[in-house]
Every structure is written in structure tokens, then in C-alpha cells.
Amino acid sequence: MNNRRSFIIGIKSTKLSGKEIIFLKKYKPWGVILFARNIKSIEQSQKLTFSIRKIFKDKKYPILIDQEGGRVNRLKSIISFDNLTSEFFGNIYVKNYNKFKFFYKLFIDKTSYLLKSIGVNINTTPVLDLKIKGSSGVIGDRSFSKNPNIVSKIGDCCIEYYNQNGIGTVIKHIPGHGLAKVDSHNFTPKVNKTLKFLIKKDFVPFKNKKTFFAMTAHIIYSKIDNKNTVTHSKKLIKLIRNKIGFKNIIISDDLSMKSLKGTLKNNTIKTFNAGCNLALHCNGNFNQMKIVGKNSPLIDKFIIKKTSQFYKILS
């Protein structure tokens, strides 16, 4: 594991190309993330994840997916999860807690079964952002609730149920994307609320989470750092560590998103300088992958230690 680099990469298609195999052998990313473009069937996906792990000679090598349910469904060529949004489960939680526990556990058990059957061991969920009226629809029904305490409690259930199934989780988008008025895939959101307000509201669901991974928000909190998005802000990464108390691996959101200005090389370097542990690059563009690979350092003792702890929950 020691010679891996501190980044996670997306690949282009349903199987590794020759140049992607060479890339993985040369740059040795910490993990690989899959999207709908990589998944056509269970059998094909199994072959793909097996071929990735064979390169690293590691049966537990981290392979991630963004499988929330609802409209964020990377398994759509296998199964439909259209109605099973986080908002749907949040509403059941309020109406009937016992019914919620039964259905939500069933949903996560079935999702976990599918993820394991295709060779995925980390799901980038739960979304712990608040549902806020008048904000960008990028979160919307991906949020459990507007109530921070409900979001926090459902988040705990989500992490626990996935971990019981031997799947790691990534809380996102730390320290909170709910107030963003624009979609960070296309623009740079700016949030002007005070730290005092944020600590009582948006930051609440991220506290005391028993997850090995968290993903940053590409958002500027102008009252805390008016220049940098969370991903590139030393002040905000420090706040995530100290005020929110997250002590495990921090992953950047996708570095190919348009919220980040400047070159990909600089954005990769700034991600590590700010204090993120792993850089994420998703689009499978080979030239961009090389830039991220070249500018990502080797994993350090902290990442090695936390990865070993994560491997222990894998069954």
C-alpha cells in the first residue's frame, strides 16, 4: 500500500483500456470511483473491479461509487431507485420511526448486496446537507430534511447499516452544501452566513460521525474564508478538524467541477496544501488524470493507518 498516491480516479468505460492499465500501474491511485458509464451489468462490473484489483494485488483495494438512490443512481442499467430518495426516507422517519428503520435498513441491505456483487466497497453517501428553501436544486431531494438533528440521526443509521454490511461510507459535502444558491458543478457558490449561524445549523449533521471518509464542498464561506472554496481553504479544513471534530480521511469533491477556477495542476496542489488527504477526479479524461496523478503525493502514515482501519470492516 505504501507506494500508492493520494488520489482517486474515474475511468472512461466498461473495461480498462490499455493506457488506463499503464496509468494505474505507474501512478497507483489510492482508489478508483465508478459511474453509470462504467456499469452495464453485474457480470461486466465484476470483471472490471476484478481487473482493477488484480493490478494492485489487493482484494480490498478501495473501489467507490456514488450510489445514493433517487436521481443519483449509478446502477440504473441494473435497477431503478427513482422513488427512493433521501427526502422519501426523511419523511417516513418523521411519520413513523419503526417503519423508517425497517424500510431504510432493507434499502441499504439491498444496495449493499448489489455493491458487493459488483466489487464496490465504498459508497459516497450519506448526503448530510440540509434541505433549504430557495437554494440550488443540486441537493433538493438528496437531503433527508431541513432539520439538522433529523439529518444527523438518519446519517448515523446510514453509516451504521452500510458498515454492518462491510461497505465504507463518505459523508458529504462537509461542512454543508445546503445553503448554496448555485450548482457547484457549474458555478462557485458563495455562502454569507456567520460562523455562529453555521455551527448551529449546517455544520450540525457532520458532528460525531463514525465514518472513515468525508467529502468536501466546493463552496466559499465568505465570512470564514472569502477567497477559497472549502476544498482549498486551510481555515475551513482546520474548522472541519477542530470545530466539527472529523478526524478521519478528507476527500476533495471532484476536481473537474467548474466551481474551482484556475488550472487543474494548481487545483490539485492547493487541495493538498489546504489539508485534504485525497484528491478526487471523476471524468475519466486521460490527460487530466495524468495531471492529477503527477501532482498527488504518495500516501502518508495517516492515510495508511486510516485505510488499514477501514479494511477491518470489510467482509
Side-chain angles (χ1 to χ4, degrees):
M1 195 197 294
N2 298 20
N3 60 354
R4 289 180 198 167
R5 289 186 177 271
S6 305
F7 72 109
I8 299 163
I9 212 75
I11 54 171
K12 203 72 189 168
S13 191
T14 51
K15 59 182 183 185
L16 292 174
S17 67
K19 61 183 184 179
E20 284 173 340
I21 291 169
I22 293 164
F23 177 90
L24 293 176
K25 285 178 177 175
K26 180 177 179 182
Y27 291 103
K28 298 181 174 64
W30 178 88
V32 169
I33 187 164
L34 302 183
F35 289 90
R37 66 177 183 263
N38 309 120
I39 297 163
K40 290 290 167 277
S41 69
I42 289 176
E43 191 186 6
Q44 164 271 322
S45 306
Q46 267 176 350
K47 283 181 184 166
L48 174 60
T49 54
F50 180 79
S51 69
I52 293 166
R53 291 202 168 101
K54 199 175 167 188
I55 290 170
F56 294 96
K57 298 182 178 66
D58 180 359
K59 286 178 182 167
K60 293 182 173 181
Y61 180 78
I63 297 181
L64 300 84
I65 200 168
D66 199 8
Q67 181 57 36
E68 296 169 12
R71 61 193 150 107
V72 181
N73 178 20
R74 312 306 184 191
L75 302 175
K76 58 188 173 202
S77 59
I78 297 170
I79 194 167
S80 165
F81 278 117
D82 289 359
N83 301 320
L84 301 174
T85 63
S86 295
E87 185 179 44
F88 168 80
F89 288 112
N91 289 337
I92 298 177
Y93 179 93
V94 173
K95 287 174 193 161
N96 185 331
Y97 179 67
N98 288 333
K99 187 179 173 184
F100 158 79
K101 278 197 92 166
F102 176 79
F103 279 114
Y104 196 50
K105 184 160 191 329
L106 188 65
F107 168 70
I108 289 179
D109 286 350
K110 293 297 176 197
T111 304
S112 301
Y113 174 79
L114 276 170
L115 297 186
K116 289 174 94 167
S117 68
I118 64 169
V120 166
N121 56 10
I122 301 174
N123 194 4
T124 65
T125 190
V127 172
L128 299 182
D129 308 314
L130 302 184
K131 187 174 172 60
I132 292 166
K133 207 174 175 182
S135 288
S136 159
V138 69
I139 299 300
D141 61 7
R142 294 167 66 196
S143 172
F144 295 113
S145 174
K146 63 183 181 185
N147 182 323
N149 295 319
I150 290 173
V151 174
S152 180
K153 282 170 183 160
I154 299 178
D156 288 335
C157 292
C158 180
I159 293 159
E160 185 187 341
Y161 296 160
Y162 273 116
N163 285 355
Q164 282 170 2
N165 281 302
I167 302 274
T169 55
V170 184
I171 56 173
K172 62 188 188 188
H173 304 82
I174 204 166
H177 203 298
L179 286 162
K181 294 274 197 293
V182 292
D183 181 349
S184 55
H185 289 88
N186 304 313
F187 307 98
T188 311
K190 288 190 179 179
V191 170
N192 295 317
K193 297 287 186 189
T194 62
L195 178 59
K196 194 177 171 185
F197 175 92
L198 293 163
I199 282 170
K200 284 184 184 164
K201 292 273 192 179
D202 292 60
F203 295 177
V204 167
F206 294 93
K207 285 192 163 183
N208 306 318
K209 289 291 162 277
K210 291 175 181 167
T211 179
F212 291 102
F213 312 103
M215 185 183 290
T216 58
H218 289 333
I219 286 180
I220 291 174
Y221 284 99
S222 53
K223 295 270 197 309
I224 303 166
D225 182 338
N226 63 5
K227 285 197 181 77
N228 300 295
T229 66
V230 176
T231 309
H232 289 158
S233 171
K234 284 181 184 174
K235 284 181 188 171
L236 275 144
I237 299 297
K238 202 178 253 185
L239 183 147
I240 288 166
R241 293 296 193 201
N242 300 334
K243 284 258 193 290
I244 292 173
F246 185 74
K247 302 299 184 194
N248 292 329
I249 290 176
I250 296 177
I251 305 170
S252 78
D253 204 346
D254 180 11
L255 296 185
S256 60
M257 283 161 65
K258 292 186 178 72
S259 172
L260 303 181
K261 307 304 177 208
T263 67
L264 183 57
K265 179 182 174 178
N266 281 348
N267 287 336
T268 306
I269 293 164
K270 279 164 77 177
T271 297
F272 296 110
N273 287 345
C276 290
N277 305 111
L278 298 172
L280 175 68
H281 183 270
C282 294
N283 67 16
N285 177 307
F286 193 70
N287 290 331
Q288 290 183 18
M289 286 161 65
K290 284 198 290 190
I291 293 168
V292 176
K294 281 176 188 169
N295 292 286
S296 295
L298 290 170
I299 60 172
D300 57 18
K301 284 178 183 170
F302 174 79
I303 299 171
I304 292 166
K305 178 185 162 193
K306 294 296 176 184
T307 307
S308 298
Q309 289 171 358
F310 158 63
Y311 275 13
K312 285 183 183 137
I313 72 149
L314 299 178
S315 46

